[in-house]
Amino acid sequence: MGKKAKKEGETPCKETFEPLPVEGKTPETVVLLLSSPEEDILAKACEAIHTFAEKGDENKVSLLGLGALEPLCKLISNNNRLVRRNAFMALGIMATNGEVKSALKKKDVIPSIIDKLSPEEDTVVHEFATLCLASLSVDFVCKVQIFDNKGLPPLIQLLSSLDPDVKNNSLEIIFNLVQDQKSRLAVHELGGIPPLLELLKSDFPAIQRLALKTLQNITTDADTCNTFREEQGFEKLMDTLSNTDFSDLHAETLQVVANCLSDSESLHLIHKDGGLTKLMEFVLTPKTFDIQSNAVKCIVRVAHNYENRKMLHEQNVEKVLIELLSVADISVQTATCQAVSVMSFHFASKDSFRDLGGIPAVVQLLNNESVVLKEAATQALSNLTHSNHLNASAVHEAGGHEVLVQQLYGSCLSTVANSAATLGNMAAQEDIRCSILSHGAIKAVVEPLKSTNTQLLVNTTRCLAVLACDTEAREELQGAGGLHPLVNLLRSYHKEVLHNACWAISVCANDLPAAVEMCKYGALEMLKEINQSVNRRSRFSELAMISLLNSNLSVKYSLMGHLASTDVIYDGFYDAGKALAGQRILTLEEMCKQPVNKHRPIIVVNTAAEETVETEERQSNASETDTSSKAERRTPRKKKEEDKRKDEPLPESPTEKPWSMTEDVSLQLLIKEAKESIIPLTDEREQWAALARLVSEAMGGEVEMEKLHEFPWVLHLSELKFQLQSNVVPIGLISKGIYCHRAFLFKCLADCIGLSCTLVRGEYNRAWNEVLLFNRNPSRKERPAQPCRYIVDLMHQPGNLLTPKTPAAVQYQNI
């Protein structure tokens, strides 16, 4: 028992082995040694792994499978400098493999790596630490981790390292980071411009090229451009361009120059020391397409300034650009189209491009498969044809309108927008517009109207407004379903989109069917809301409202309560009563399809005759009867005939029978009687009086004011609705009409026989007509007779002309 207790109480032996050489021949053994507590073994194991990993990707993947990554990530923070250095060497080499990099992203190793970028660390550590970060910085998540862990400051410091590998790796990381806006700004704020410019003097072309690519990214920011200019960056770039030994860097240098030229201060520098001449040399005598393309991009930036455009025009730059359009390189052609587009802001250049044959060359590029080139070409044509009829004709002669219409079906929104703008510019000329329409332009613009892209909507609506000047185009637009998306654009809060949409609607409203359909989609309600808004209303919205109302008199009368003498009533005109606020006015077809209700009837005009024997017989019989039988001939068809038609089986057709209005033979007879009895009268007053008496007789005759309440017009209209089984009643069928019905019929008959009068709605079923008449027998010594306005009495003393605001007129209007 005593011996056992002694053994348990013994301390471990403090003696160590003599140095024991260890030979590891397999990767498994070396990976196991990474867990050793002895620093010498760790250093040698890391060195062996680095050597093994250098031999190829297969070895790197093998080490990953053996679990080498985990201990290496820990060893880069080891206190021993040699262990730390060798661990970085092994980790850096392994990280260049894709599978290892993917595994490494899952480790929280980036903070530890950044921590070892301090100046106190060994250069070898800097080299392989940056090599590891360079591999990881391609990934977006890793870029965020590097930025958030303040990796940029030490990396910018390492750009001044004496070791070229450290410089290259650090530069590669920064290049990957500055693809994001916040990193670009940070590089500028951390003073990264001077060391980047210094790297342009490097003896290593790879470093120079990478520095230029990095500068190309960060000089897209205005503040960075200012710092770049203050550090004489522009002069250094021009020195690089002037050095023939750096010809392999000229393409990248020109890209940076192009960015800097967006700055107005740098534009002044381009004129110093022959900078513009140097750019033109690269355009005319390039060594590669990249150099030529980037030189043209610089010209594009230079041409954004008016004075520079003028100077370039004086140097005949248009001729050079037209020659470049035939260069067999997409990048050169694209940049050239962009230059043509910018130079087109100079009016003289527009003419030069046409006179030198440049327009057909640009049109030809529309057939190219390159999306970027087609976008640039359509933009060039848009600018060339803007406010220039001769250039528009040149595009048309080159067959550009056919290709541009096809471009409207494209997937590139910018190309579609540019094509629509060009077609809109061209369509201002009638002959070209007809040619454009013949290639299906209307159908092609329907889909772009549904887009959410602002510029596309601006250009498409403007193009549509010009194309829709033709009646056939408006009919085609309605048939293609284009009116609904057009009306929907009234909801837009973009000023130019809304203006152009209103413009297009005002043009389309010239056709009654289109106006009715747009009202059906709520155009009037939206326009009314727009015109009540201080911020959204405009002359365009007011014009659209007026155009819709003038084309749809039924809605105009319902909303405004007034028809002018120039508003001529047509077949299908109806009075649905005063419109209620916020409620859409239904179409006549919609009202006809509603079940019979208790509301006031909708009164409609229909002068068309059905081409049937029955109609002819009814007209013949009606003409033989006397005036006292008019009420009888205005009654609906017999209920028996209606019941008979209801009992008949419906035809087996997949489509519903087209809707049509009820024939109004009585109105046809009244129109005929008005033409025969009133037109022959030579005195205008007598014409109005006779017409008033005709209307009064048809509507139940004279009614004394005191007995107005006894006049059974309400019951009569209810009976008509019941007999017709419809809420819509033809005006000719009404034999007992009140003020509103008589004024309606008076306006209808007056318009039919060529007389002019107004129709004004009052309150409580009141309505009246106003006519203009000259005073009789004016004295020769007096001024020419002035027309006087009169209200025509149709109710109490038919034919009497009342002067407005007199007691009799006020009583008639019930104001």
Side-chain angles (χ1 to χ4, degrees):
M1 291 290 294
K3 289 182 180 181
K4 187 175 181 181
K6 184 178 180 181
K7 285 182 180 180
E8 288 178 354
E10 287 178 352
T11 59
C13 179
K14 294 183 179 180
E15 295 185 13
T16 59
F17 281 98
E18 292 292 326
L20 179 67
V22 178
E23 266 188 44
K25 293 186 178 180
T26 63
E28 291 87 345
T29 302
V30 178
V31 170
L32 288 174
L33 292 177
L34 292 177
S35 302
S36 171
E38 299 186 39
E39 293 174 346
D40 289 343
I41 293 177
L42 290 174
K44 290 178 180 178
C46 289
E47 184 178 5
I49 287 177
H50 168 253
T51 303
F52 182 73
E54 272 188 317
K55 295 178 180 180
D57 283 340
E58 187 178 343
N59 290 358
K60 297 182 181 73
V61 174
S62 175
L63 290 169
L64 175 65
L66 293 171
L69 202 58
E70 185 70 32
L72 284 175
C73 289
K74 294 178 180 178
L75 292 176
I76 60 172
S77 300
N78 194 283
N79 293 329
N80 186 282
R81 293 178 65 88
L82 183 60
V83 172
R84 196 162 61 243
R85 187 190 74 169
N86 291 353
F88 263 114
M89 291 172 63
L91 188 63
I93 287 295
M94 287 184 65
T96 59
N97 174 267
E99 292 186 36
V100 177
K101 181 173 64 177
S102 299
L104 194 58
K105 286 191 297 185
K106 300 176 183 178
K107 312 287 184 184
D108 188 23
V109 70
I110 288 179
S112 301
I113 297 175
I114 292 174
D115 187 53
K116 300 302 179 288
L117 298 180
S118 60
E120 296 79 19
E121 280 295 342
D122 189 274
T123 302
V124 176
V125 171
H126 289 165
E127 176 187 348
F128 287 95
T130 52
L131 178 63
C132 187
L133 288 178
S135 300
L136 292 172
S137 62
V138 179
D139 180 76
F140 175 77
V141 175
C142 292
K143 282 194 285 189
V144 173
Q145 288 181 334
I146 294 171
F147 183 87
D148 292 344
N149 284 280
K150 301 186 181 343
L152 270 176
L155 288 170
I156 291 174
Q157 294 295 323
L158 290 177
L159 292 178
S160 303
S161 173
L162 298 176
D163 188 282
D165 289 325
V166 175
K167 287 182 180 179
N168 189 73
N169 294 340
S170 302
L171 191 54
E172 187 176 346
I173 301 166
I174 293 173
F175 172 74
N176 290 334
L177 290 178
V178 295
Q179 307 303 314
D180 302 323
Q181 175 68 16
K182 64 178 182 179
S183 294
R184 287 197 290 269
L185 298 175
V187 169
H188 165 240
E189 293 168 357
L190 293 169
I193 301 296
L196 284 170
L197 288 172
E198 195 64 30
L199 290 178
L200 296 179
K201 303 176 183 177
S202 174
D203 295 330
F204 299 92
I207 292 178
Q208 291 176 307
R209 185 170 287 105
L210 197 53
L212 285 168
K213 287 183 177 180
T214 306
L215 286 170
Q216 183 186 348
N217 276 281
I218 62 177
T219 50
T220 55
D221 176 66
D223 291 335
T224 303
C225 281
N226 292 335
T227 304
F228 184 83
R229 187 180 59 256
E230 292 167 3
E231 295 291 337
Q232 285 76 48
F234 195 81
E235 288 85 348
K236 292 176 183 178
L237 292 178
M238 298 309 294
D239 290 342
T240 302
L241 292 175
S242 301
N243 192 335
T244 55
D245 294 335
F246 292 156
S247 60
D248 57 331
L249 299 175
H250 285 170
E252 288 83 0
T253 305
L254 285 167
Q255 287 179 323
V256 183
V257 171
N259 285 347
C260 295
L261 289 174
S262 60
D263 177 18
S264 58
E265 293 295 328
S266 297
L267 281 174
H268 294 296
L269 296 175
I270 194 69
H271 297 294
K272 294 174 61 178
D273 303 324
L276 190 57
T277 304
K278 174 62 66 177
L279 289 178
M280 290 303 296
E281 288 178 7
F282 282 115
V283 172
L284 295 170
T285 57
K287 292 186 177 180
T288 65
F289 286 137
D290 285 343
I291 293 176
Q292 192 172 37
S293 172
N294 291 334
V296 177
K297 289 178 182 177
C298 292
I299 298 297
V300 173
R301 294 300 178 94
V302 171
H304 276 91
N305 177 274
Y306 169 75
E307 292 298 330
N308 290 339
R309 286 198 296 271
K310 185 178 179 181
M311 186 183 303
L312 288 168
H313 173 67
E314 292 171 354
Q315 295 184 9
N316 296 319
V317 72
E318 296 89 356
K319 183 178 179 181
V320 176
L321 293 175
I322 291 172
E323 292 176 359
L324 292 179
L325 290 173
S326 59
V327 173
D329 182 78
I330 298 296
S331 61
V332 175
Q333 291 174 326
T334 302
T336 305
C337 285
Q338 293 169 347
V340 171
S341 180
V342 177
M343 284 300 299
S344 294
F345 289 110
H346 190 68
F347 292 113
S349 291
K350 282 186 177 182
D351 297 333
S352 296
F353 283 123
R354 181 187 67 251
D355 296 338
L356 295 171
I359 290 179
V362 177
V363 170
Q364 186 63 32
L365 296 178
L366 295 177
N367 297 312
N368 196 286
E369 294 182 359
S370 170
V371 175
V372 178
L373 177 55
K374 284 193 287 190
E375 178 184 352
T378 52
Q379 180 65 63
L381 291 175
S382 173
N383 288 356
L384 283 168
T385 56
H386 181 69
S387 300
N388 194 305
H389 293 330
L390 293 177
N391 283 359
S393 297
V395 174
H396 178 250
E397 291 169 5
H401 60 294
E402 299 180 36
V403 191
L404 288 167
V405 170
Q406 293 306 312
Q407 296 300 325
L408 295 176
Y409 292 102
S411 57
C412 177
L413 298 183
S414 296
T415 302
V416 177
N418 296 336
S419 300
T422 308
L423 290 169
N425 295 337
M426 297 170 65
Q429 301 178 63
E430 185 176 358
D431 57 333
I432 298 179
R433 181 170 66 248
C434 294
S435 184
I436 291 172
L437 291 171
S438 68
H439 288 89
I442 290 294
K443 185 178 180 182
V445 299
V446 172
E447 196 61 33
L449 289 175
K450 304 173 185 177
S451 173
T452 56
N453 182 277
T454 301
Q455 192 57 51
L456 175 56
L457 291 174
V458 169
N459 294 355
T460 304
T461 47
R462 180 183 174 278
C463 177
L464 179 60
V466 181
L467 291 175
C469 290
D470 290 6
T471 303
E472 295 80 3
R474 295 191 290 268
E475 293 174 355
E476 186 179 353
L477 179 66
Q478 185 177 4
L483 293 179
H484 199 180
L486 177 61
V487 171
N488 284 339
L489 292 179
L490 293 176
R491 295 186 173 91
S492 174
Y493 280 82
H494 187 275
K495 186 176 181 179
E496 201 169 355
V497 172
L498 184 58
H499 286 183
N500 288 352
C502 290
W503 178 18
I505 286 172
S506 67
V507 174
C508 293
N510 286 318
D511 290 345
L512 175 60
V516 171
E517 184 169 338
M518 288 189 287
C519 291
K520 181 180 178 180
Y521 296 136
L524 277 174
E525 289 75 16
M526 285 187 273
L527 283 169
K528 188 175 180 181
E529 181 182 343
I530 291 169
N531 288 329
Q532 290 173 347
S533 169
V534 176
N535 297 324
R536 300 183 70 202
R537 71 183 178 202
S538 65
R539 290 178 298 171
F540 294 95
S541 61
E542 292 170 358
L543 176 62
M545 185 77 167
I546 293 170
S547 299
L548 273 178
L549 291 178
N550 287 341
S551 296
N552 195 342
L553 296 181
S554 302
V555 176
K556 180 178 182 179
Y557 186 52
S558 185
L559 281 175
M560 314 299 291
H562 181 274
L563 292 184
S565 57
T566 53
D567 295 327
V568 179
I569 285 179
Y570 45 78
D571 276 357
F573 175 83
Y574 60 96
D575 178 12
K578 186 177 180 180
L580 299 177
Q583 185 174 334
R584 184 175 74 84
I585 301 171
L586 300 179
T587 65
L588 183 60
E589 181 177 355
E590 289 173 328
M591 291 178 175
C592 285
K593 293 180 178 179
Q594 287 184 331
V596 179
N597 53 44
K598 296 181 180 180
H599 302 306
R600 55 159 287 171
I602 290 86
I603 313 302
V604 66
V605 172
N606 181 20
T607 63
E610 291 184 5
E611 296 180 359
T612 60
V613 176
E614 179 187 359
T615 302
E616 294 174 358
E617 290 177 351
R618 289 176 60 190
Q619 288 179 342
S620 177
N621 294 334
S623 63
E624 295 174 356
T625 57
D626 57 13
T627 306
S628 61
S629 63
K630 286 182 180 177
E632 181 181 350
R633 70 169 180 259
R634 281 194 292 271
T635 56
R637 290 176 179 176
K638 296 180 179 179
K639 191 76 168 59
K640 184 178 179 181
E641 293 178 1
E642 292 182 359
D643 294 337
K644 183 179 180 181
R645 286 197 300 270
K646 288 180 181 179
D647 294 334
E648 291 176 359
L650 294 174
E652 296 181 3
S653 174
T655 58
E656 187 179 349
K657 184 179 180 180
W659 168 83
S660 61
M661 290 189 291
T662 303
E663 185 187 13
D664 193 348
V665 178
S666 299
L667 179 60
Q668 297 168 22
L669 295 174
L670 283 172
I671 294 172
K672 180 181 178 182
E673 185 174 347
K675 289 178 179 179
E676 293 174 350
S677 63
I678 295 172
I679 292 179
L681 299 176
T682 56
D683 185 84
E684 193 173 4
R685 288 175 178 268
E686 285 299 323
Q687 285 182 321
W688 288 123
L691 182 60
R693 289 191 293 270
L694 176 62
V695 169
S696 176
E697 185 180 349
M699 287 284 179
E702 178 181 325
V703 181
E704 295 180 13
M705 179 70 72
E706 295 75 13
K707 296 183 179 181
L708 187 61
H709 63 281
E710 300 176 1
F711 190 62
W713 65 276
V714 176
L715 177 61
H716 172 61
L717 289 176
S718 298
E719 290 174 347
L720 285 177
K721 285 177 61 177
F722 178 77
Q723 292 169 5
L724 292 170
Q725 282 300 295
S726 173
N727 297 313
V728 179
V729 176
I731 185 66
L733 297 184
I734 300 176
S735 59
K736 294 181 180 62
I738 196 73
Y739 299 94
C740 57
H741 310 119
R742 299 186 182 207
F744 184 109
L745 180 60
F746 188 87
K747 171 67 172 170
C748 175
L749 294 177
D751 288 345
C752 286
I753 64 175
L755 299 180
S756 297
C757 71
T758 67
L759 175 61
V760 185
R761 187 195 306 279
E763 298 293 336
Y764 308 108
N765 295 307
R766 297 288 175 122
W768 59 89
N769 307 99
E770 295 177 355
V771 298
L772 285 178
L773 291 173
F774 286 94
N775 291 326
R776 293 180 175 180
N777 301 321
S779 174
R780 293 181 181 179
K781 295 181 180 180
E782 297 177 358
R783 294 180 180 179
Q786 297 295 319
C788 294
R789 186 162 54 95
Y790 296 96
I791 294 174
V792 183
D793 188 343
L794 303 171
M795 197 75 194
H796 309 300
Q797 294 179 341
N800 192 21
L801 300 180
L802 309 175
T803 304
K805 297 184 179 179
T806 59
V810 171
Q811 187 179 19
Y812 188 85
Q813 295 168 289
N814 194 27
I815 297 175

